Amino acid sequence: MAIDTADESATRDLEEIIETQHDWRERILLWVDDHLQWLLTLPAVVILFALTFYPLVRAAEMSLHRFLPVGRSYVGLENYVDLASNEAFLHSLWVTAKFIGIAVSAEFLLGFAIAVVLNRNLKQRGLLQTLILIPMILSPTVIGLIWRLLYAPNGLLDFLAQPIIGHNVGWISEPNVALYSVILADVWQWTPLVVLVMLAGLQSIPNHVREAAIMDGASRRQRFIDITLPYLKSLIVLVLIIRVVDALRVFAKVFILTRGGPASTTNVISMEMYRVAFRFNNWGEASAMAISLLVIVLVTAITFVKTANVEF
């Protein structure tokens, strides 16, 4: 009898253990189900943290030091103060601003115009869209190599320009021409991005709004100003922010085409950081430039959004 009671007690204890384990499994599964979206994004967040946040903190820490052959010494904000009187850095800011102003303006105006044309019922529109988007999918390094071949002495562009001007053009060797040559390569690569975004925006405008405006007697110019632009306002600000921020970081095309020359006419801020860090081993000053560039990017993006008064 005692043996039966012991067996029943053992069985009961085993059932309780199994039930407890089952409850824990069910709780874990319910927790995973409730937080599945965060668990799926966790690997991407970890990678993003490792590739962006840590280098940013490391660059900020390095910008407070001066690196010497015998070691490094803490100098606080001295590297940032020195940038205010660094002629090479200030010149690179001016070159970068000039590059952004011309390149982004040309890309936006040209891309918007192409998007308006493609928004009409054209034959082979799908083929045209595919061909236009090809430059955007190529890497900046490939773009630089392609245009370096085009800009080569007696190359294709010289062959086309010689009958008009009578001599070869130093596309990447003449100080007055080199920056515009880099800009041309950038416009060729990134105008398709503007086309893609603006075309999507144009196709999202409701047809009944256009038809109502036409019935009210609105001209094409009035429809563009009063209907098209307000609908595309947020997209215009978005694509401008993307292009300005990306143009601030331009490096590969400049490095491949001109190395920042001739006579520093294409020495954008990314090239100046590369020169200071890898040629002069002045990691502290280069890190200060990188942090300053980050601040410029953030201020530029916020200014765009505040000025345009848009919400994403």
Side-chain angles (χ1 to χ4, degrees), residues 299-310:
V299 171
T300 302
I302 294 172
T303 302
F304 264 109
V305 175
K306 294 295 183 181
T307 302
N309 194 24
V310 296

Side-chain angles (χ1 to χ4, degrees), residues 54-262:
Y54 173 75
L56 176 62
V57 173
R58 179 65 172 157
E61 186 267 336
M62 290 174 64
S63 69
L64 303 177
H65 293 79
R66 176 164 292 151
F67 288 77
L68 303 170
V70 294
R72 67 176 188 171
S73 59
Y74 179 80
V75 294
L77 298 177
E78 187 175 328
N79 286 322
Y80 294 94
V81 175
D82 291 342
L83 291 181
S85 58
N86 188 326
E87 293 184 2
F89 175 71
L90 297 177
H91 176 72
S92 69
L93 285 179
W94 164 245
V95 173
T96 304
K98 188 176 179 181
F99 174 86
I100 292 172
I102 299 174
V104 175
S105 299
E107 289 161 8
F108 176 75
L109 295 176
L110 183 59
F112 203 152
I114 295 174
V116 170
V117 173
L118 290 178
N119 192 44
R120 300 173 181 174
N121 292 324
L122 298 177
K123 294 181 178 180
Q124 304 297 330
R125 186 173 69 174
L127 177 61
L128 291 174
Q129 291 176 353
T130 303
L131 294 176
I132 288 172
L133 294 178
I134 288 176
M136 189 178 69
I137 65 177
L138 300 176
S139 71
T141 303
V142 174
I143 297 294
L145 293 172
I146 291 173
W147 282 91
R148 187 173 181 85
L149 292 174
L150 294 175
Y151 289 143
N154 298 316
L156 177 61
L157 293 183
D158 273 342
F159 175 77
L160 297 175
Q162 199 166 27
I164 301 174
I165 61 178
H167 58 83
N168 290 345
V169 180
W171 300 100
I172 54 178
S173 59
E174 289 289 334
N176 295 330
V177 182
L179 181 61
Y180 300 101
S181 298
V182 177
I183 290 173
L184 179 60
D186 193 77
V187 170
W188 184 75
Q189 181 181 16
W190 291 116
T191 296
L193 174 65
V194 182
V195 175
L196 184 66
V197 176
M198 291 296 100
L199 182 59
L202 289 170
Q203 292 178 344
S204 68
I205 299 176
N207 288 328
H208 66 85
V209 177
R210 293 175 180 165
E211 293 170 357
I214 293 173
M215 292 179 66
D216 290 340
S219 65
R220 181 173 296 179
R221 178 175 174 274
Q222 289 174 326
R223 296 198 303 270
F224 180 78
I225 294 176
D226 297 330
I227 297 176
T228 303
L229 288 183
Y231 265 98
L232 299 180
K233 184 178 180 181
S234 59
L235 285 179
I236 291 173
V237 174
L238 176 64
V239 77
L240 287 177
I241 290 175
I242 292 173
R243 283 305 308 130
V244 169
V245 170
D246 190 61
L248 277 167
R249 302 181 298 107
V250 64
F251 175 78
K253 285 189 287 290
V254 177
F255 182 81
I256 293 173
L257 290 173
T258 63
R259 295 291 200 279

